[in-house]
Amino acid sequence: MLRVKRLYRRFWVAVAVFVLLGNGLSSACADSNRSPGSSADLPQAQTGSSATATMKEDPGVLLVRPTSSAATAQKERPNVLLITVDTLRADAVGAYGNPKARTPNIDSLAQDSSVFRLAISPEPQTNPTLASIFTGVFPNRHGIVHHMASKLSGRVKPLAELLAGAGYATAGHYSWISFDPEYSGLERGFATYQRHTVDRPFPADRKPDFYEEYLDSKANVTTDGVISWMETGAKDPFFLWIHYNDAHWPYEPPPPFDARFDQ
């Protein structure tokens, strides 16, 4: 645990990207005046910073920790942390104007970050959009045009591959089967690439559309895997991608969250 704390302290720059894969909230993200608490007082996107924004899912929230000068960033080669969250809608986050939301950690990060309030997804499915985040190009260029049915093209280099070539330790810890190599090709460039799901027996005659009934995603399981990697495999500089899937159907939160919004 001391190793983890030391690594976090060395994050003089951390990029935290919350990829909101839910549908139908582009207008909510775009409306900057919908309520007095709609984050009008939050820091807006900055220019001249060494931190950069990336494409995100529909609708999106991008939180970028402000950094020092680009020259310093080039010299220091910062560690990079990328966090994506499946199906988390902007109107479920307090920093985006929902007074009933209970997202204290994201809200705290937003208060000390550049907040991007409008994002347009290149595709309404998970794998194509994550591929666009990793490559910076549209699905017709990177090759993943259909979720779990097409794979990353060899004609493009994803972020992990580029950073690995620059001497970064790379790790991807994710909470859903769609990112497995046979369904995505997104493992390229990651020295460590690990899925964290709680698996149930899956009948051989069922189609992939029914995976949700036999797999479960728990943030604590994924986070335990991340901490284990940071304590044993992380080296500076590193690129770490973490994907959480808890907000996705079938909606089976653990206690006490399972009853928190029953009233």
Side-chain angles (χ1 to χ4, degrees), residues 138-217:
F138 288 104
N140 67 323
R141 290 280 305 279
H142 62 59
I144 302 184
V145 295
H146 192 280
H147 182 68
M148 296 185 73
S150 51
K151 297 174 66 174
L152 191 67
S153 169
R155 294 177 298 176
V156 296
K157 283 193 173 184
L159 180 60
E161 198 168 68
L162 293 171
L163 290 177
Y168 273 69
T170 56
H173 292 269
Y174 56 97
S175 302
W176 194 236
I177 193 173
S178 72
F179 300 122
D180 282 0
E182 60 267 38
Y183 300 120
S184 69
L186 294 176
E187 77 283 358
R188 282 172 44 196
F190 287 106
T192 297
Y193 194 74
Q194 187 173 0
R195 169 161 57 96
H196 303 276
T197 54
V198 179
D199 298 346
R200 307 182 182 105
F202 186 83
D205 60 343
R206 298 302 294 270
K207 296 181 179 180
D209 290 345
F210 295 93
Y211 277 136
E212 287 90 346
E213 298 178 16
Y214 298 95
L215 299 177
D216 202 358
S217 304

Side-chain angles (χ1 to χ4, degrees), residues 64-236:
V64 182
R65 183 78 64 178
T67 71
S68 55
S69 69
T72 302
Q74 180 66 25
K75 181 180 179 180
E76 296 292 339
R77 295 207 305 168
N79 296 324
V80 178
L81 171 65
L82 171 66
I83 301 174
T84 56
V85 183
D86 210 294
T87 62
L88 174 62
R89 289 165 44 135
D91 65 352
V93 178
Y96 284 78
N98 185 345
K100 295 182 179 181
R102 301 182 185 181
T103 52
N105 293 320
I106 297 177
D107 299 345
S108 176
L109 178 63
Q111 291 291 341
D112 191 30
S113 301
S114 296
V115 177
F116 293 79
R117 303 175 57 220
L118 174 63
I120 299 174
S121 170
E123 233 271 20
Q125 296 181 317
T126 302
N127 283 16
T129 298
L130 263 295
S132 288
I133 291 173
F134 287 148
T135 64
V137 298
F138 288 104
N140 67 323
R141 290 280 305 279
H142 62 59
I144 302 184
V145 295
H146 192 280
H147 182 68
M148 296 185 73
S150 51
K151 297 174 66 174
L152 191 67
S153 169
R155 294 177 298 176
V156 296
K157 283 193 173 184
L159 180 60
E161 198 168 68
L162 293 171
L163 290 177
Y168 273 69
T170 56
H173 292 269
Y174 56 97
S175 302
W176 194 236
I177 193 173
S178 72
F179 300 122
D180 282 0
E182 60 267 38
Y183 300 120
S184 69
L186 294 176
E187 77 283 358
R188 282 172 44 196
F190 287 106
T192 297
Y193 194 74
Q194 187 173 0
R195 169 161 57 96
H196 303 276
T197 54
V198 179
D199 298 346
R200 307 182 182 105
F202 186 83
D205 60 343
R206 298 302 294 270
K207 296 181 179 180
D209 290 345
F210 295 93
Y211 277 136
E212 287 90 346
E213 298 178 16
Y214 298 95
L215 299 177
D216 202 358
S217 304
K218 299 298 183 186
N220 62 306
V221 175
T222 302
T223 300
D224 286 345
V226 171
I227 291 175
S228 177
W229 177 81
M230 294 188 71
E231 291 179 332
T232 61
K235 297 183 295 184
D236 294 333

